[in-house]
Amino acid sequence: MSRILSGIQSSGQLHLGNYCGAIRQFLDLQAQGHEMFVFVATYHALTAMRDPLALRASCRQMVVDYLAFGLDPAQTSIYVQHDVPEVTELAWLLACVCPTSLMDKAVSYKDKVGKGFSANVGLYTYPILQAADILAPAADVVPVGKDQVQHIEITRDLAGRFNSEFNADVFKLPTHRLAPDAELLPGVDGEKMSKSYGNTIDPFMDEKPLRKRIMGIKTDSKQVNDVKDPQTCTIFRLFRAIAGVNDPRTRDLADKYLDPSKQGPDGFGYGHAKQALFDLVLTHFAEPRARRAGLMADQGYIDEVLKQGAAKARGAARITVDRARHAVGL
Ligand code: TYM
């Protein structure tokens, strides 16, 4: 059995990309019986957020949603990053072995600055804090989407540097894990689905706005009887990611794209595909959607889950931080 760790930034509502890239892996690994640490990355969100009420609300909502998706606190320690101060202490120790050139190469920073986000030092050194998240409880495996792979490589790099510069065996080197058939999910505009780009689809949305959101997905201008390319279509890619590449419903949808005239007098247009995606989201997420309301009403339970999760994470992190302190001479 392995020790698994991952986190998601509380910079907005969880979306289909987070689910397909990360949360579904958490559920699979939990079902396999691994020891799990799953947290809400509040300090990472703070690199861009300036609204305390929104940060507090989305942090809380994310914990509720983890539970609604099926994370089980009996097996998965669920906590918020700012409840584990050992992590920020460790981030400093790692910063002291991190060459600035390693941060210069981080694509997430370059992407965000390229998209017009202001370049604060927190955003620049973000991968160091992420390395501390992972190394503090000595995780073996980090399940993430493709866009995070470089951060896990940076984590390995920092762990290796620390061990060698202080000639101590403090950190074990973690590996990343991608979902089978992992791809980065596109948002409604066809760009990568991301909380910071305003193009997400939230699986917990009420039916009416959810339908509107899905009906608003951008497509090309092919008509109902035109042959369409499923591989380049955002609707199809979202459908495939949720249902699965080998699911008969996915193959059926691809057939309809390729042979719309066989589907009867109305052909098969993007409106039909969007309706199929809407129906799929409702059925696939029926249980989490139903569970969520009950969880929201039980804030005392959420507090208890977070208290226990933080205690477990702090216990594991303290051991690592004490070893790291000792290694550097503190
Ligand atoms: P974040 O909050 O951007 O995303 C959380 C998880 O969702 C995955 N993901 C996607 N997967 C597929 N398609 C998409 N469009 C998509 N968008 C997001 C991400 O790959 C990620 O797995 N830096 C991290 C948070 C973090 C973390 C950590 C993760 C902080 N410390 C330690 C793992 C371990 C982040 O910003 O993820």
Side-chain angles (χ1 to χ4, degrees):
M1 285 295 139
S2 301
R3 186 172 277 192
I4 313 289
L5 173 136
S6 197
I8 299 183
Q9 282 193 67
S10 52
S11 44
Q13 178 55 44
L14 285 176
H15 55 73
L16 290 179
N18 298 140
Y19 172 76
C20 292
I23 294 166
R24 188 151 54 183
Q25 295 199 73
F26 305 166
L27 297 171
D28 289 347
L29 291 161
Q30 180 180 264
Q32 289 168 22
H34 296 286
E35 187 189 10
M36 312 269 302
F37 290 86
V38 175
F39 70 99
V40 180
T42 45
Y43 282 143
H44 281 106
L46 201 53
T47 60
M49 284 181 83
R50 294 295 178 264
D51 179 345
L53 289 180
L55 180 60
R56 200 170 287 131
S58 71
C59 172
R60 196 75 180 177
Q61 188 64 61
M62 199 162 277
V63 177
V64 168
D65 292 351
Y66 279 158
L67 294 165
F69 277 122
L71 286 184
D72 173 6
Q75 196 190 329
T76 300
S77 301
I78 300 174
Y79 58 98
V80 294
Q81 194 176 32
H82 61 269
D83 279 348
V84 186
E86 288 76 10
V87 167
T88 36
E89 180 177 353
L90 187 58
W92 182 258
L93 300 181
L94 293 169
C96 292
V97 298
C98 180
T100 51
S101 59
L102 196 57
M103 296 297 100
D104 292 336
K105 278 190 268 177
V107 286
S108 67
Y109 174 75
K110 284 196 269 190
D111 280 359
K112 288 221 168 112
V113 172
K115 288 224 156 58
F117 288 83
S118 72
N120 58 63
V121 175
L123 183 62
Y124 180 65
T125 59
Y126 172 131
I128 302 176
L129 181 59
Q130 182 157 352
D133 290 324
I134 297 167
L135 297 173
D140 303 300
V141 178
V142 188
V144 283
K146 271 189 174 166
D147 58 333
Q148 294 297 317
V149 171
Q150 190 193 35
H151 289 153
I152 319 305
E153 277 158 10
I154 291 174
T155 302
R156 292 170 61 88
D157 190 330
L158 291 177
R161 276 171 198 273
F162 186 100
N163 285 348
S164 93
E165 289 186 23
F166 292 104
N167 195 22
D169 191 18
V170 174
F171 300 118
K172 62 178 164 188
L173 272 48
T175 51
H176 70 263
R177 179 187 193 272
L178 292 173
D181 312 312
E183 70 157 338
L184 281 180
L185 255 65
V188 291
D189 56 358
E191 299 293 314
K192 178 196 153 189
M193 188 181 288
S194 168
K195 293 187 274 277
S196 39
Y197 305 159
N199 63 358
T200 62
I201 298 175
D202 159 16
F204 291 110
M205 251 185 193
D206 286 338
E207 283 194 31
K208 224 171 149 191
L210 177 66
R211 189 163 192 284
K212 196 166 167 215
R213 193 85 179 134
I214 290 177
M215 290 298 157
I217 294 173
K218 256 202 206 157
T219 61
D220 60 32
S221 55
K222 294 225 169 72
Q223 299 300 305
V224 281
N225 285 315
D226 294 338
V227 172
K228 300 168 195 66
D229 181 5
Q231 306 306 328
T232 56
C233 174
T234 301
I235 313 162
F236 180 80
R237 289 174 61 199
L238 292 172
F239 190 102
R240 179 178 60 191
I242 300 167
V245 175
N246 295 318
D247 191 277
R249 293 169 298 178
T250 306
R251 283 200 294 269
D252 179 56
L253 186 62
D255 289 346
K256 289 177 171 157
Y257 270 68
L258 297 171
D259 208 347
S261 55
K262 262 207 192 142
Q263 309 308 318
D266 292 342
F268 187 82
Y270 290 124
H272 298 105
K274 287 174 179 173
Q275 182 64 42
L277 177 61
F278 172 67
D279 293 340
L280 176 72
V281 171
L282 287 186
T283 39
H284 189 87
F285 295 103
E287 277 186 37
R289 288 169 66 93
R291 269 198 294 261
R292 196 191 199 215
L295 285 161
M296 303 248 276
D298 197 352
Q299 293 294 326
Y301 173 65
I302 307 296
D303 288 336
E304 193 48 39
V305 166
L306 290 179
K307 202 170 130 198
Q308 284 182 17
K312 185 88 190 294
R314 290 195 73 174
R318 193 70 249 163
I319 296 169
T320 310
V321 173
D322 284 346
R323 293 178 65 201
R325 277 178 163 232
H326 180 74
V328 301
L330 297 176

